[in-house]
Amino acid sequence: MAEGEKTLNAKELSMKWKELSDLGPELLRYLAEQVPKIYCLGPEPQLTQEEEQAGALLLQPLEWYLFGEDPGTGLEKLQQSSTSSQLCGRVFKEGETTYSCRDCAIDPTCVLCMDCFQNSVHRNHRYKMHSSSGGGFCDCGDLEAWKTGPSCTTHEQGAAGDMETGAECVLEAGLRERAQKLFRVLLRYTVDMLVWEERFELPSELQPSANEDAYYCVLYNDEHHSYDHVIYTLQRSVHCNQREAHTHTALIDKEGRRAVKRGPLQACREAKELIRSNSEHISLQPLRVEILHSHVMAHQSFALRLGNWFQQIINYSVGFRQVFCQVMLEPRSLVDSHSLVGSLMLYDAKLYKGARKIVHELIVCSLLMETEYKRLFAIEFAKHYKQLQIDFINDDHEHSISITALSVQIFTVPTLARQLIEEGNVLKVIIDTLMEMLSEHLDNNNRFHFQGYNSDKFFRIQVVFHDLKYILISKPAVWTRKLRQQFLEGLQMFLRMLSCMQGMEEVKRQFGQHIEVEPEWEAGFSIQIQLRHILSMFQDWCSADEEVLLQAFKESHAALRQCTNQTFHSEATDSYMCKHILHSRPYKVSQEPVSIHLPISRLLAGLYVHLCRTGAIERLREYIDTSCDFSLLMEYPLRCVVLAAQVSAEMWRRNGLSLVSQVYYYQDVKCRDEMFDKDVIMLQIAASKLDPNSFLMIILQRFELFDVFNGNITCKDQDLVKQWNRLTEEMLHLLIIVTGERYIPGISHVLKEDMTMREVIHLLCIEPMAHSSLVKALPENENNETGLENVIHKVATFKKPGVSGHGLYEVKKECLKEFNPFFYHYSKSQHSKAEDAQKKRRNQEINDKALPPPVPPAFSPDFAKIVQLLCCDIFVYVLRTVLQRAVEDRATLWNEAMIQRALHLIAQALIEEKQQLETCSEEEVAFDFSLKAKKNGSEHGKSLLHLLGRLKGLPPLEAQKDMIKWNLQMFEIVKCLREKSSPSSSTSVDHAKPEESVQDKEKAERKRKAEAAKLHRQKIMAQMSAMQKNFIETHKMLYESTPESTGQGGPSETLESSSAMILGESRVAVGPKRGVTLAEREVLTCILCQEEQEVQARGPAMVLTACVQRSAVLTQCRGKALPNTETFVPLYMSPDLAVGTHTGSCGHVMHALCWQKYFEAVQNTTRNRLHAELIFDLENAEYLCPLCKSLCNTVIPIIPLETLKLNYENAELVGQLLTLPRWIQIILARIKGLGSATQGDEKSSDIDSSFSVENPADFRSILSFGVQAPTRYSDSINEMLVVCATTVYRVGLKVAPNEIDPRVPLMTWNTCAFTIQAIDNMLEEEGKPLFGSLQNRQHAGLKALVQFAAAQRLKSPQAVIQKHFTGLFAALIPNMKIEGTPCILDVDLFHLLVGLVLAIPALYQEEAVDLQPSPVSSSCNHLYILHLITMAHVVQIVLSSDDPPGMMGEDAGEEDQAASELYQAMIRCTEGLRGDLPGWCVAERVNKGVLPFLRCTALFFSCLTGVAPPEELSSTAVSPEGQMEALCSYLALPRNLFQLFQDYKETVPPLLQRWCGDPAVSQALKQEASVIQYPRKRNRLIELPEDYSCLLNQACHFRCPKSSDEDKKHPTLCLFCGAMLCSQSPCCQEEVDGEEVGACTAHAATCGAGVGMFLRIRECEVVLMASKTRGSTYPAPYLDDYGETDPQLGRGNPLHLSPERYKKLHQLWQQHCIMEEIARSLEVVSVMFAFEWQML
Ligand SMILES: [Zn+2]
Ligand SMILES: [Zn+2]
Ligand SMILES: [Zn+2]
Ligand SMILES: [Zn+2]
Ligand SMILES: [Zn+2]
Ligand SMILES: [Zn+2]
Ligand SMILES: [Zn+2]
């Protein structure tokens, strides 16, 4: 079909439609005809084909009709005339990051998308980041959502362009009319088809001309069946294979439904039956299957397509959007009065997931984007609210895909909320909905009872609570009559609900036996938690309007009176105490039922405080009879408080855990402000109204202590007495609280901020705390704010965190005077912790442990009467009784806690009296505590004051002595104030006798100074002894390297000569001038058996823990594909160091035997433990170091360093005889000879026949320069040599262990070389000197490793070693043509050096005798090998450097000259070397490039020979030049390395020819092959942005490379190379070694040789991985402003990179500690379930 024809058709059609007066019937006829021809033609939807055809045949004509011309042209015109949207409205996908601004958002539900946030002012505010659960949308541009900065820069223009309604007439009239017509028809069609319930039939207007027998069997998703169930069922029912079943299931889960079979009706029916029976078979409930006619399916598919089309169209223009909204709100049809959108809403719960999503998105981008239509929609929504919620509760889909999730978009808009309350009475509607949902839980008394509730359904009901919270979230600024009326109506409804809670779920104390079934309590508390903010918001609303407040109080009061279930069961009686009489009805909490749920009482208490605060209390008598009985109001709260006290006194032990939990929550931060705190307020209200003596008597009665204090009963039952004591303790505490807790606006004149400040001070008095712990311990308001930030800097100082841990706040000194040990929000343990901490502090500062109460703020007038409690007769009597029991030492009748509280109360009373005396004249002060304390009971010598004095001397109260003293002093002060005379011994300095306190202070000061001096002395002593130790350590060599102490009496007596002495001290490690080995007698302690043992060659082996791992830490080409290790011979190390084998140690030593026993024991026990393999892999012989728990997988035997001294005369002689050419010749002769001797002709073919062996007799001449017998090692050392070498081989090559594989020695040498390189790299990086700065463990490990590598040779056949030597040697020497020998550019020369040095002793092996070179021979071998390789390396460096020459310079010195000569010589041998390089430039490059090699070599030889290095190498102060000099001298190299080429003039030309002439070299020079440059680049972790939201931004734009679906992805960043991976997702799994693994594991296999370090961006967590099965998380190196990390972004504070922490991660990597870290963390966490790390 040609393009033109199609457009013509579309155009023609549209012209035809335009002619019609009624578009509907014709358009529908067209759809009826076309749609079934396009959609649902085969068993599988043909997406691209369908889309193409629908576009051409259906959508194009529609667009032609709409625009009346070519849609492209029309659209262009439209866009010119209209402006873009002023709202962003981006709909969030699940997992997408959203931002909210704590400074500017109206409430926390106002969020921005990433793009808007980045372009908004809020990015510099206190923002929060969160992960969306999907469904919400971006509020950018919504003026009502933000206090400031409502629009980002992108959406700003839109906002300015069309303000409010100005955009109405954006569309030109014709267009508008056509849009109306078209939208009307299409929208109705869409709605009709989506809600269509007939499966086989279509509406009459859509009936096709011909009917065919084609049906679909459609499977719907539900929450009852697992993935596996569905797959199983499908495979059995519709005969699809595993993969198809998988696809079906995934799509059913995602879309909500899927056609699984197409065919004639009969076949579909059969399939349906099969599916039902198969699924029923496995999970009782059958899967939901339906059969749909293919035409019905087709129309439904097109209807959904139209949904997307509408979205696109209305995004073009505000005009379209408005027309669309209009049509949406029109009635659906003549018969159905619901609007179209109403129908969709009501049908929502019946729709499947995919359809819902499209509908919701359509609503969001249309109705919710226009202020006026949003209002209309909101009213419609409110109208259907109840039905929608009921549908949702019965539905089993998640909330985010329910239409009810839109409520947050409507209810949180302040103006809408107000209108909905006023016009739609929505408060009532919501609460009514709640009531209806909860009504099934009502019992006969009209109270809730949740036993046996359905927790899933209950969870869904919470959504309605959220709505209630949303609607209340913004308080009205102006109250209208209507608003008052509707709000109060809502409140009445709310009270009705609360009265169903008041007194619900009563508990009754259990006697004798334990309860059988723990009663249900969580449901009640979860409602309480939901209600918490709602209750406080109702109070806030009320307090904003006096009229409403008073009315609300009246209503609540009335509601409370109607609640009658907790009545008294006995008649009132009279009780007497201290001549006071109480007429009251008894109620025993310990015997009668009590409820912890008293929401109405508490609401009333809250409202009362607001009445007092606002002054409206004055008018209260107009509303209620204020003579109401306050003792009745406080009755229920008091019972609840007593219940808590009795539980704490362990009287309710038999009632089980559920009660303990309830009491816990009652006082916990999550509930207390609307539970415990309000009960306290109610008691305070009563205390302010009742006679103080009566109040106290009621308290005593409810605590069931009245008779105890009245002295009416004596008891022998110890348990009961103990109980009384505990209850007394609790009661006294309650009195402390009622009289002392005044920090609430209304109760005293404090601000909210003061409350928060006080909470924070008390929390910090327990211990310094992190910001997040503080936030958790403070109550949050409805906006999730605690107010912490506003006060924290006033009361605390911040201490920054180190590389681990978190920042802490410490309370400021000046705030400590606010500390009250009986602070009412302290739990028992917090109380004792805080008390201990503060006592300790006071004792240190002023040597006084008294913790008197702080001076409280004065009560506001309405509460002022409470203080009379502190001086009433009963109060004094109670205290007297308590003290008297202690004084009379009736040991069982008191406890210290009681006394402590009594003392606190006395102090409170005295402070009160003092305050009053100070502000008023004595006559005005009625507060007479001190007088009563002196008088009452004085006739028997038992006045309170008297008793207090006697208490002082009591030994059991030693701890309270200071507090008693404080109180006595206070009595003095008050007495003086009363006498109005300036007190003789004490002026009124607060709370303490001034002299004494001055004395105390001086004493304390002296003590402090003495303390400081002592500390200082200790520190100096420590420093001195450390220095001494260092001195001995560094100069040990001086003592021990003198000939006397090395002992052993070498054979040569010439040693004594002075020249030898000098040489003996020489710091040269190589060659005939080699210095003396620093062999010390090594005595080590086994960490297992603690026995000491000297390390000896023939002794039992000592071993060092070790961990061997593959490493890509030094790689120069990350991600390189690695050779197949089964066949690969690792003779040469590639210079890119792509993968090396690292051997590290924690430095702990054991007997080999002890280790073997330990290892076997561990293997046996862990094999039986579940999941222990997570910590260490038994198969890989892993274990944890018994001492430090490092992860290890082998041991290194400790080989004693051989003490050897050269016979320097011999050495000199040999040195003269054995020149380099001669040496090469001898070696070659030996190789050839050995080759033919051992393997005959076959072997000699390796070496070219042109090989110039002049004298075959040279075969044995190598021996003439000195040989000796090789060291013999004990069996156990031999065994350990094999163990270690085999592990290195197995791990390094990832192959099965095989101790006789010829590659074993190669791997030993390689790990030795690689480990040295890694250590050097690390030292260099940290700028530390080469020697002396390694940690002990590193040094011990390195030494042992080198010695082990040297000794391991003896455990292999010498022929194998000889063969390896030959291979290695061939890389350097001309004339040895061995197949596969690489060019020198492709060899790491340090590895080569180590290999050659460690292999060469094997050349001395003779058939009959085991021989090895003598020290003299060795030193020559080392020298020549080193010289040869150094020359090769110099050439390598020159060949590989391709950077352009630096600036100007001249060849000045000898070195430049020599360099230039060498360069010229090289040019002659090579093609492609540039000719213009000056000598100085060459020299510079070489000096720079050669350094790592020299450093590694120095480390190697120092460990091998034990010769002390020059001191310059242990110092950081040395210049680079000096370092070079020292290195060269230590290694017997000329400082000017080019000198070598001149010294060996006759040998050099063939070598150069060999090295430079290789064709591979010229290839590289022509840049046909990549070349490694020297010094190698140092690997670092990738750069991370400072601001974490940048990373989130990256993650937001991340697209999985392998799939295009919109599912939640987990972008994960490789910190080694910066690759962004799609982890935890089936789309990106890969197969590695025949196993499906996740993207990260697959990536780590190549990027880090199995080790990985990733940042999971959405989770803000680092993941460490080692091997396929092991990993751990590690805190990301990002901290918030409070020095804390935020895993999972749970708190969502802005995060910034911490360079120190990132550096620590870098070191973890570079020091090969990742594996160790994982093992450590796994041990700490002790994971209960196996996390599949490999799927990451
Ligand atoms: Zn946005
Ligand atoms: Zn924006
Ligand atoms: Zn802001
Ligand atoms: Zn031992
Ligand atoms: Zn250890
Ligand atoms: Zn990587
Ligand atoms: Zn993917």
Side-chain angles (χ1 to χ4, degrees), residues 1109-1117 1119-1123 1125 1128 1130 1132-1134 1136-1142 1291-1294 1307 1310 1314 1391 1645-1650:
Q1109 56 185 304
R1110 283 159 69 81
S1111 161
V1113 156
L1114 299 177
T1115 183
Q1116 301 296 296
C1117 58
K1120 179 183 171 183
L1122 302 171
T1125 48
F1128 169 67
Y1132 310 102
M1133 180 62 157
S1134 160
D1136 59 24
L1137 303 180
V1139 180
T1141 310
H1142 181 269
V1291 176
L1293 287 175
K1294 291 211 288 186
M1307 288 308 291
N1310 282 347
F1314 186 83
H1391 273 73
T1646 50
C1647 185

Side-chain angles (χ1 to χ4, degrees), residues 578-871:
C578 301
K579 298 175 190 148
H580 293 277
I581 178 169
L582 177 72
H583 184 73
S584 73
R585 304 174 73 174
Y587 195 96
K588 287 208 158 175
V589 172
S590 67
Q591 287 167 22
E592 291 172 79
V594 232
S595 168
I596 212 161
H597 293 285
L598 306 165
I600 300 190
S601 303
R602 289 161 190 157
L603 179 61
L604 203 63
L607 291 174
Y608 187 89
V609 175
H610 280 299
L611 284 173
C612 296
R613 188 176 58 80
T614 56
I617 191 115
E618 303 291 332
R619 291 179 52 208
L620 188 60
R621 68 174 60 86
E622 296 165 30
Y623 288 81
I624 58 165
D625 178 10
T626 41
S627 66
C628 71
D629 187 356
F630 281 91
S631 66
L632 209 62
L633 287 187
M634 82 160 185
E635 180 64 29
Y636 303 138
L638 178 57
R639 287 180 197 171
C640 194
V641 169
V642 170
L643 171 69
Q646 290 185 349
V647 168
S648 147
E650 300 198 324
M651 285 170 66
W652 289 67
R653 260 178 318 199
R654 289 185 169 59
N655 285 64
L657 268 179
S658 85
L659 184 64
V660 175
S661 315
Q662 292 189 58
V663 170
Y664 170 82
Y665 273 105
Y666 170 63
Q667 291 168 317
D668 182 70
V669 63
K670 282 200 194 70
C671 298
R672 68 178 177 223
D673 47 5
E674 291 300 330
M675 294 190 97
F676 175 62
D677 290 5
K678 289 288 188 305
D679 286 349
V680 168
I681 291 177
M682 191 52 108
L683 290 178
Q684 288 178 319
I685 293 170
S688 72
K689 292 286 174 188
L690 298 175
D691 166 63
N693 289 308
S694 309
F695 180 82
L696 282 178
M697 286 200 285
I698 297 175
I699 299 270
L700 282 170
Q701 275 190 343
R702 291 295 169 268
F703 270 86
E704 296 166 36
L705 288 169
F706 192 88
D707 292 337
V708 177
F709 273 90
N710 234 357
N712 292 345
I713 40 171
T714 46
C715 181
K716 298 263 179 308
D717 181 350
Q718 286 299 315
D719 284 344
L720 204 57
V721 170
K722 225 185 241 166
Q723 217 168 65
W724 288 342
N725 288 341
R726 294 290 303 274
L727 283 175
T728 308
E729 192 186 315
E730 295 287 338
M731 185 205 61
L732 294 174
H733 193 179
L734 181 67
L735 293 183
I736 293 176
I737 291 171
V738 169
T739 54
E741 292 298 339
R742 315 172 178 184
Y743 297 80
I744 288 173
I747 292 185
S748 70
H749 298 288
V750 292
L751 302 172
K752 266 219 145 92
E753 200 182 276
D754 299 318
M755 284 169 74
T756 315
M757 214 139 64
R758 186 156 172 270
E759 295 279 345
V760 174
I761 290 171
H762 280 88
L763 286 168
L764 293 179
C765 279
I766 305 170
E767 60 189 351
M769 277 189 180
H771 186 266
S772 62
S773 325
L774 280 170
V775 168
K776 242 185 257 163
L778 290 172
E780 280 186 342
N781 69 3
E782 66 277 6
N783 285 332
N784 307 330
E785 293 285 345
T786 58
L788 177 64
E789 278 87 356
N790 298 331
V791 303
I792 186 74
H793 296 294
K794 295 181 194 160
V795 301
T797 43
F798 182 62
K799 265 175 55 189
K800 279 195 169 149
V803 283
S804 59
H806 39 236
L808 289 175
Y809 284 98
E810 245 167 45
V811 66
K812 284 188 181 165
K813 256 210 164 86
E814 62 264 32
C815 295
L816 287 167
K817 65 175 191 301
E818 300 287 330
F819 173 70
N820 178 355
F822 296 103
F823 177 57
Y824 73 148
H825 289 156
Y826 275 153
S827 68
K828 276 229 154 57
S829 67
Q830 284 177 327
H831 160 77
S832 55
K833 260 169 123 180
E835 194 186 331
D836 286 350
Q838 295 310 314
K839 271 191 178 164
K840 214 159 123 199
R841 174 189 60 81
R842 285 195 55 121
N843 202 20
Q844 275 167 4
E845 281 168 13
I846 51 173
N847 201 12
D848 175 6
K849 281 186 282 200
L851 291 172
V855 180
F859 277 119
S860 63
D862 291 302
F863 286 92
K865 247 187 88 189
I866 295 179
V867 294
Q868 292 183 7
L869 281 181
L870 290 172
C871 67

